[in-house]
Amino acid sequence: MLLNGKGLASANRMDKPAKDILDCSEPPPMEKLNWLMHLQHIRGEIDFCKKIINLELARSDGKNEYAFFKQGSILKEEGHIQEALEIFQKCLKMNPDNAIILREMAKCLYDMRRFRLALNAYLEAESLLKNPDWKLCYFIAQCYLKLGNIEKAKEYAHKSVKMGKQEESYGLLMKILVSERDLKSAIAVSNAATECCPDSVNMLTESGLLYLKAGQSQYAFERLSQALALEPSHSKALLGIGCITMKHEEYDVALTKFKIAVLHEPESVALWNNIGVCFYAKQKFVAAISCLKRALWIAPLNWKIIYNLALVYLATQQPASAFNFACAAVNLRPDVAECFALLGYTLFYLKDAENALKALSHACASAPNDVTMTANAALLTAVTGDFKSVLNYMKKYHELVETGENVPNEVSRLMESLAPIHQADQTGRADREDGVVDINETSENVAKNDADMAGTEESGGKYMEEDEV
Amino acid sequence: MSRSELSVSRWLEAHTDRGAGLTTLPRNAILTDIVGNGDYHLVITDLKLDNDTKSRLKVYKGTLMTHDQALSNTPNSVISFYADLNEPRIPVVGVACGSELFLYKNLKPFYKCKVPSCPLSEQESELWKTLMEKQDFNSEDIIKELKKIPFSLLSSRSQHILNLESPLKIEEYIRKYINSMPTKENVITCMSTIEKTTHDKYSVNCPIIGTEFGNIYILDPQNFSILHQANTCNVKATPFIIECSGLYDIEFRIIVACREGYICILRKGWLEGKSLIQITNDIVDMVLIPGDNFITVATADKGLHCYTKRGQKLWSATTTNSITCLCLVPLDHINMYMVAVGMKNGLIHLYHGRHLTDFTVAPDTPSVIVFGPVGQEENVMVIVTMGGTISFKILKRTADFSNRNHESVPVLQGKPLPLPKRSKLFLEQSLRERQSAVEIHQTFQQDLLRLRLTTARALVQNLSDQSGVGNEKENIKLSAQVLGLGPKFTVILTLENINPNKVLTGLSVTFHSNPIFYTLTTYIITVPLIPPSLSYKMETRVQETMSETSSETSVAELEPAGVKVIRVFVTRYDHPRPILAATINMPPTEFMV
């Protein structure tokens, strides 16, 4: 079978056996140096590679498909996407049935943000291939996602996962499911992913964060610890685990986690926000302010940081600054009741009870089931002397307590101290002194309320961060 | 890594030749006992792409080049293996060039084998068959026939014919070849060897060849006939690196890394490989760790990944620079396998499993690294860099690779957060705010309101300003200029067409002023066609009526601000509503007394 050049003894002539000189002058095959082009390309020896490409294109009179293909790939890597696309088109003209070229073209189009065209190219590639691979399905899913066709995207992501069991496809599918708020399925997928790639730090972290989102912090903690065991400085996992420890009010532990993470990711908004919240919980307000300010500097429009800053300023008895931040938070997110409530509290401190009441009643209207807000609203109305509303709010409060809302101690204490006023309204006279006591009381109550907020807040902040990734 | 580790290297710099000028690619350097006396030599190829200089096969004894011979074609890879059991045991060196494998023994070429060529497409072989029979042809017909077949499927001969331009040359060319059938050569893209019957330093090995069209051939080490032939994968996959484990006669696995990112596996008796792993990024290099048969793959995105032989991912690491080559570093005396990772800028990291255990540096980016015995020395690393330097490093016999933890977590935790110190100003300000928060708040709010008011005013002022009025919808812009000190003025209007594509037609300009104050030379100007992006200038003279009485009596008719105005309307024919209106504030006449 092997066409060997027989056991020639003549050493120096071995490349030209006398047998058939004609055969030897057969032109060298076009694919002669394909391997070299590829090798030098992937090793980043672009200049060398370009030289070979030019030589090969000259030798084959511009017909070497692989040389063109490599040229296109290099151009694409160098950021000349339009030129790369043109080269790939040339390539495709030479060999219209090459799905790989089609795929590269689609990638170019995708990079140019022409998702519709990219999708068409991918679909054509899919129809050309006998057995499409997971990568293609993954890309198609990505395109559909960009085009907003979630159903199709999910279908292809599923396909991709089934075919490849690759980390990327799992990640995409999880992203799609999370965007649909289908946390349960997302967690199921993440479990499959961690089973499939038990050593993938990213998948472990993703799965941990999903559990965290679903509120199952025990599982989340397990997954994140696994991830950290593999890579002790993975900042995302550290953030997640810090968040869980924060929820358990172990702020020092959380801080050590964040400290490691922040060394590796000094520009993470969520990290600085959480560090700030930790300091706040430890009553180190100056540090809290500087951390939150740093976070705000990185993300000036993040309402959660602004909200937290307002809280800290309230705690340091700087209601004027707090008001500004609360105001900004309200402007950014008028739909969040807590922002309005906070604005109300700051106004209360600024002795503008009327506007405070307005803000708080707005907050109560948009979140009617919040115990603390109702209690605070009752207090405020008592201070302004609107006893009819006090009654309303008290009634509401008792209703909420009866329906089994979790009432913090401080809130119930406040409400007990308010009870006399409730009766006093019969006499039609507000006890001045009572009011003063209440103000002190409220400040504590507000602070307490804040700590709660900060907790939920913080995880919220982290989620936001995650969505971006 | 601690400082003490940095200062004491485990490697001795034996020799570095910066002027060697070598171009050696991965898998083109081997260490082998070339003469059979236990003195290991380095065999490398030196690739040259120019037409006038040939690539060379070079042999180094120790650090000295002892042998240098030309190669007929671009070398792809070099292997060495024991072909027989004859004493003295002298290995065969194989160099793959193009579609041929050249075999050397004692540095003398003794055999050449050629990879079987690919089958031609039916149409093409039919065409050449008829040509051979008839010995007569019409070159135009042949070109037409050849063009029907996809270019990449043609033999190189036919491709060449299609590339020729003059019909005369084509005829000459065809005549030259008319007596033989064309062949489509199958270029060798990678090579390796596999032990035949025993695991042993001197065991007989079979060469394995991977080709451009995806074929894998296992050759007999004695007569170089094909023992086994298979395809790489069921999809299009071009072999790029071949690694194997096991024994050919018993059971073996051939792991093939492909250009397309597949890692395929081929086992005994299989006619077609199976895709084991699919890697998203380009594979730069791959080594197989003996023992566990873990597959370690370097990718173009600085990734180092390890998979089990079943294709499950074990771990991934990210390197500091992009990887250019890998090399297995077996340390038999401590029964340990490490992987040397050559990176851009000359850093070489040694990984044991996923842990970085040691590093050393090369003068510049390593192109190929080999590790093994050189001369009498057991553990030598030879590095040929992209810049052509050859460098020998000896691993110290005292080198200790026992586990040493790198930067542990507690060390990291010791670092405090980079927080700024609280400044005096900050404290003072917060103190003041605590004392008089309400006042600060109120002042701030007042000032804020004032600022808003001023802004709003400025906006209104700006809107009513006469200069540069425009109508975005109609794409016209009007600006006015008043020249003169009075009582005679010249008003120059410029009407600009902002639309870069359309012309403006059918416009006219009307001036409106209180006749008590001003008399104008023209009150209506018909505007001619204005081409896109151009403007048209028109002027009118204004005479202020200088009657003392009028200025006093008609104070009521003055503009609120107390200035006299002329109004300008730009209208389109037949439309009563002006498309643009502007007010020109006229300057007061400077009376010269």
Side-chain angles (χ1 to χ4, degrees):
Chain A
M1 272 178 98
L2 218 86
L3 315 171
N4 70 60
K6 42 187 173 166
L8 269 186
S10 57
N12 44 3
R13 295 197 55 200
M14 77 179 255
D15 51 339
K16 276 192 182 177
K19 193 176 80 182
D20 42 7
I21 290 159
L22 268 181
D23 246 1
C24 276
S25 60
E26 179 112 17
M30 191 172 69
E31 305 84 7
K32 193 175 85 168
L33 290 179
N34 285 3
W35 61 272
L36 189 58
M37 276 185 249
H38 178 71
L39 179 71
Q40 294 298 47
H41 170 227
I42 55 163
R43 298 205 306 168
E45 295 294 294
I46 301 298
D47 290 338
F48 196 109
C49 189
K50 278 182 182 164
K51 200 174 125 195
I52 311 170
I53 288 174
N54 289 337
L55 279 176
E56 287 299 286
L57 283 178
R59 193 167 67 89
S60 65
D61 198 20
K63 293 227 171 85
N64 191 335
E65 188 187 318
Y66 194 76
F68 271 127
F69 178 69
K70 275 289 168 199
Q71 197 177 25
S73 307
I74 290 172
L75 281 171
K76 183 163 170 274
E77 276 161 29
E78 287 174 342
H80 307 293
I81 297 176
Q82 184 63 46
E83 284 94 328
L85 189 64
E86 279 158 21
I87 295 281
F88 285 132
Q89 269 161 352
K90 230 188 238 177
C91 240
L92 196 68
K93 215 178 254 173
M94 267 182 244
N95 188 353
D97 296 333
N98 194 332
I100 293 173
I101 297 171
L102 258 173
R103 202 174 66 192
E104 289 303 316
M105 273 174 66
K107 271 188 204 167
C108 286
L109 289 167
Y110 186 86
D111 285 349
M112 291 161 88
R113 307 190 65 74
R114 305 179 70 171
F115 302 120
R116 173 71 55 192
L117 289 174
L119 180 66
N120 290 344
Y122 278 134
L123 290 176
E124 205 181 320
E126 192 197 13
S127 65
L128 278 177
L129 283 176
K130 279 185 298 246
N131 35 0
D133 54 356
W134 69 269
K135 248 194 234 175
L136 200 63
C137 291
Y138 171 77
F139 288 133
I140 293 174
Q142 239 177 0
C143 276
Y144 273 125
L145 191 64
K146 285 277 181 201
L147 290 168
N149 191 341
I150 305 284
E151 268 317 302
K152 276 277 188 188
K154 204 157 80 178
E155 183 193 320
Y156 272 97
H158 262 297
K159 244 189 201 174
S160 172
V161 162
K162 226 181 253 170
M163 273 185 267
K165 296 211 185 304
Q166 295 280 331
E167 220 181 295
E168 286 89 345
S169 7
Y170 278 121
L172 185 68
L173 186 56
M174 268 148 75
K175 198 171 137 192
I176 294 169
L177 288 170
V178 170
S179 76
E180 282 192 320
R181 310 212 170 280
D182 190 356
L183 274 184
K184 218 169 158 190
S185 323
I187 286 176
V189 172
S190 83
N191 281 338
T194 43
E195 242 165 62
C196 197
C197 343
D199 211 60
S200 156
V201 178
N202 280 336
M203 282 299 120
L204 282 171
T205 314
E206 287 295 326
S207 142
L209 294 181
L210 280 176
Y211 273 122
L212 192 59
K213 248 183 229 181
Q216 295 170 304
S217 31
Q218 189 52 43
Y219 287 114
F221 193 83
E222 258 172 42
R223 283 284 150 83
L224 292 171
S225 310
Q226 275 173 4
L228 284 177
L230 292 171
E231 195 185 324
S233 56
H234 193 268
S235 54
K236 228 170 154 187
L238 280 168
L239 178 65
I241 222 159
C243 172
I244 299 170
T245 42
M246 248 167 96
K247 272 193 185 149
H248 292 92
E249 300 188 11
E250 291 170 25
Y251 297 110
D252 284 314
V253 182
L255 260 182
T256 49
K257 304 276 181 220
F258 293 145
K259 271 182 195 169
I260 304 168
V262 95
L263 278 179
H264 291 87
E265 209 177 314
E267 302 236 313
S268 160
V269 178
L271 271 175
W272 282 113
N273 178 46
N274 285 9
I275 293 172
V277 173
C278 269
F279 277 127
Y280 170 70
K282 289 175 62 173
Q283 310 273 308
K284 289 184 178 170
F285 298 124
V286 180
I289 287 174
S290 49
C291 290
L292 287 172
K293 280 263 171 88
R294 183 167 298 190
L296 195 63
W297 183 73
I298 301 166
L301 290 179
N302 189 324
W303 70 275
K304 288 176 183 176
I305 304 168
I306 296 174
Y307 180 92
N308 287 342
L309 254 176
L311 282 184
V312 181
Y313 273 120
L314 258 190
T316 57
Q317 289 156 35
Q318 287 171 266
S321 307
F323 170 79
N324 279 336
F325 284 109
C327 217
V330 165
N331 277 325
L332 283 170
R333 288 296 294 268
D335 52 322
V336 180
E338 279 88 353
C339 291
F340 270 105
L342 186 61
L343 187 68
Y345 304 149
T346 58
L347 282 168
F348 181 70
Y349 276 97
L350 290 166
K351 308 214 165 59
D352 187 355
E354 229 171 279
N355 284 324
L357 188 59
K358 265 187 208 161
L360 207 54
S361 51
H362 187 107
C364 284
S366 46
N369 290 331
D370 193 304
V371 183
T372 12
M373 271 184 219
T374 320
N376 281 334
L379 173 77
L380 255 179
T381 42
V383 171
T384 49
D386 183 359
F387 294 107
K388 214 172 168 193
S389 307
V390 177
L391 273 183
N392 282 342
Y393 281 119
M394 295 288 265
K395 214 170 109 195
K396 177 91 210 217
Y397 170 76
H398 289 299
E399 266 170 29
L400 283 175
V401 172
E402 270 158 34
T403 50
E405 284 283 325
N406 198 7
V407 185
N409 286 341
E410 261 166 285
V411 177
S412 51
R413 239 194 308 136
L414 168 80
M415 286 319 267
E416 274 162 32
S417 64
L418 263 183
I421 299 185
H422 174 202
Q423 277 125 34
D425 92 296
Q426 249 80 19
T427 65
R429 202 180 74 96
D431 195 347
R432 191 73 216 134
E433 226 151 287
D434 237 10
V436 173
V437 170
D438 282 346
I439 285 175
N440 292 338
E441 197 77 21
T442 351
S443 59
E444 253 174 68
N445 168 28
V446 167
K448 177 66 199 155
N449 177 10
D450 303 347
D452 281 358
M453 281 302 304
T456 50
E457 210 27 51
E458 165 305 83
S459 46
K462 189 183 54 49
Y463 289 158
M464 293 244 300
E465 176 68 0
E466 220 182 291
D467 289 344
E468 278 166 33
V469 173
Chain B
M1 239 162 248
S2 71
R3 191 169 294 169
S4 62
E5 275 179 88
L6 273 179
S7 55
V8 183
S9 174
R10 297 186 179 96
W11 300 88
L12 282 176
E13 300 290 331
H15 176 71
T16 302
D17 181 5
R18 283 173 195 269
L22 296 167
T23 313
T24 305
L25 301 173
R27 293 164 289 284
N28 274 281
I30 46 166
L31 294 167
T32 181
D33 177 16
I34 208 155
V35 278
N37 58 1
D39 184 8
Y40 277 77
H41 291 53
L42 170 71
V43 181
I44 56 170
T45 60
D46 186 7
L47 184 99
K48 292 283 177 279
L49 279 181
D50 312 334
N51 283 332
D52 39 348
T53 44
K54 288 208 154 171
S55 303
R56 306 193 78 83
L57 182 69
K58 295 184 174 178
V59 179
Y60 282 75
K61 180 182 192 312
T63 58
L64 271 179
M65 189 167 72
T66 55
H67 192 87
D68 182 5
Q69 70 183 66
L71 291 167
S72 64
N73 213 332
T74 322
N76 166 270
S77 49
V78 180
I79 50 171
S80 95
F81 55 95
Y82 291 101
D84 47 39
L85 295 165
N86 299 345
E87 290 291 337
R89 303 300 304 272
I90 297 174
V92 173
V93 172
V95 183
C97 298
S99 56
E100 287 153 334
L101 173 62
F102 295 93
L103 295 153
Y104 296 79
K105 206 164 187 176
N106 259 327
L107 287 174
K108 301 230 165 40
F110 80 101
Y111 203 83
K112 176 181 95 169
C113 55
K114 198 172 160 99
V115 175
S117 48
C118 289
L120 289 172
S121 65
E122 249 171 58
Q123 293 130 298
E124 195 187 353
S125 57
E126 202 60 36
L127 186 77
W128 283 95
K129 238 179 233 162
T130 44
L131 267 179
M132 272 166 84
E133 281 162 16
K134 285 203 297 194
Q135 294 286 328
D136 182 39
F137 58 88
N138 178 348
S139 53
E140 268 173 40
D141 288 346
I142 287 179
I143 295 275
K144 217 185 267 168
E145 281 297 312
L146 285 177
K147 274 193 176 155
K148 280 184 196 159
I149 309 166
F151 189 76
S152 55
L153 295 183
L154 289 172
S155 68
S156 61
R157 178 195 298 182
S158 309
Q159 283 173 348
H160 194 87
I161 291 172
L162 282 182
N163 282 349
L164 288 174
E165 267 157 29
S166 77
L168 216 72
K169 267 196 182 157
I170 293 174
E171 205 176 314
E172 189 187 335
Y173 197 83
I174 296 174
R175 285 243 174 273
K176 190 169 143 197
Y177 286 112
I178 202 153
N179 287 322
S180 65
M181 277 302 280
T183 53
K184 188 159 177 59
E185 284 180 40
N186 202 350
V187 179
I188 298 177
T189 55
C190 52
M191 268 199 311
S192 182
T193 57
I194 182 166
E195 284 161 325
K196 197 160 186 298
T197 42
T198 52
H199 285 300
D200 166 17
K201 198 175 166 188
Y202 293 107
S203 63
V204 173
N205 273 349
C206 308
I208 307 175
I209 294 174
T211 67
E212 180 74 29
F213 296 106
N215 309 98
I216 307 275
Y217 299 103
I218 303 177
L219 306 186
D220 185 284
Q222 253 134 40
N223 57 11
F224 302 104
S225 59
I226 292 173
L227 287 177
H228 187 74
Q229 177 184 356
N231 285 332
T232 310
C233 195
N234 54 353
V235 289
K236 187 186 177 292
T238 320
F240 174 50
I241 304 164
I242 294 187
E243 292 280 336
C244 7
S245 66
L247 295 171
Y248 174 75
D249 285 345
I250 298 159
E251 174 61 58
F252 62 86
R253 287 160 186 274
I254 299 178
I255 310 286
V256 189
C258 303
R259 277 183 213 159
E260 289 81 1
Y262 303 104
I263 292 182
C264 302
I265 182 168
L266 193 68
R267 300 178 70 163
K268 189 176 170 75
W270 291 11
L271 291 174
E272 189 169 75
K274 209 174 80 181
S275 165
L276 192 64
I277 308 162
Q278 214 184 354
I279 292 176
T280 24
N281 222 297
D282 285 323
I283 301 168
V284 174
D285 212 340
M286 175 180 80
V287 292
L288 206 60
I289 316 274
D292 304 320
N293 286 335
F294 289 161
I295 306 163
T296 305
V297 182
T299 53
D301 57 345
K302 304 182 184 177
L304 194 64
H305 311 281
C306 184
Y307 298 87
T308 63
K309 58 185 173 185
R310 291 196 175 77
Q312 272 166 333
K313 194 174 197 168
L314 280 179
W315 51 267
S316 292
T318 314
T319 54
T320 44
N321 282 329
S322 34
I323 302 171
T324 53
C325 54
L326 294 182
C327 169
L328 184 70
V329 177
L331 296 174
D332 294 332
H333 59 292
I334 48 173
N335 199 13
M336 184 168 163
Y337 293 101
M338 292 200 290
V339 177
V341 182
M343 287 178 279
K344 277 259 149 94
N345 301 333
L347 200 58
I348 299 169
H349 278 170
L350 281 112
Y351 279 84
H352 179 235
R354 71 167 70 194
H355 301 294
L356 176 62
T357 46
D358 193 17
F359 74 96
T360 179
V361 283
D364 62 303
T365 312
S367 172
V368 54
I369 304 174
V370 270
F371 184 89
V374 172
Q376 304 304 319
E377 199 60 49
E378 265 304 302
N379 297 316
V380 182
M381 184 187 278
V382 185
I383 304 149
V384 182
T385 67
M386 300 274 189
T389 307
I390 186 164
S391 170
F392 292 79
K393 289 170 191 289
I394 300 174
L395 183 70
K396 285 181 190 165
R397 287 167 195 216
T398 55
D400 173 25
F401 287 102
S402 56
N403 281 359
R404 226 170 288 192
N405 281 339
H406 33 89
E407 200 164 14
S408 53
V409 180
V411 178
L412 281 170
Q413 285 174 349
K415 291 177 187 165
L417 278 177
L419 288 181
K421 288 244 164 64
R422 63 178 93 175
S423 68
K424 209 177 154 200
L425 187 70
F426 175 82
L427 287 181
E428 273 169 14
Q429 275 186 341
S430 51
L431 208 65
R432 203 178 89 77
E433 193 185 333
R434 245 179 252 187
Q435 279 162 0
S436 44
V438 179
E439 289 85 70
I440 290 178
H441 175 65
Q442 279 165 1
T443 329
F444 179 78
Q445 290 301 319
Q446 269 173 17
D447 284 348
L448 189 64
L449 281 179
R450 255 188 222 128
L451 177 72
R452 280 184 188 152
L453 185 65
T454 329
T455 322
R457 269 200 197 127
L459 180 68
V460 172
Q461 175 96 41
N462 210 15
L463 284 178
S464 60
D465 207 1
Q466 78 271 43
S467 66
V469 197
N471 184 338
E472 288 289 322
K473 222 164 143 193
E474 299 281 344
N475 283 315
I476 59 170
K477 204 171 145 189
L478 179 74
S479 53
Q481 207 180 359
V482 183
L483 303 179
L485 298 170
K488 282 187 177 167
F489 299 97
T490 306
V491 174
I492 298 175
L493 288 182
T494 313
L495 199 59
E496 195 185 339
N497 182 1
I498 333 177
N499 193 331
N501 301 318
K502 275 186 192 159
V503 296
L504 270 179
T505 49
L507 294 182
S508 64
V509 173
T510 316
F511 291 92
H512 170 263
S513 69
N514 193 330
I516 304 170
F517 302 134
Y518 298 111
T519 350
L520 278 69
T521 48
T522 44
Y523 285 89
I524 291 177
I525 303 171
T526 319
V527 182
L529 176 142
I530 309 178
S533 300
L534 289 180
S535 54
Y536 176 70
K537 265 189 192 170
M538 59 212 112
E539 61 173 56
T540 177
R541 282 165 210 287
V542 179
Q543 168 78 48
E544 190 167 353
T545 350
M546 297 304 251
S547 63
E548 293 282 318
T549 48
S550 66
S551 63
E552 278 166 22
T553 49
S554 56
V555 173
E557 304 210 11
L558 284 178
E559 287 293 296
V563 280
K564 298 172 187 172
V565 297
I566 295 176
R567 293 199 169 79
V568 184
F569 303 101
V570 180
T571 46
R572 183 158 277 157
Y573 288 143
D574 311 328
H575 284 276
R577 175 187 275 197
I579 53 174
L580 197 90
T583 315
I584 305 172
N585 289 345
M586 296 300 288
T589 303
E590 311 270 339
F591 289 107
M592 275 182 253
V593 185

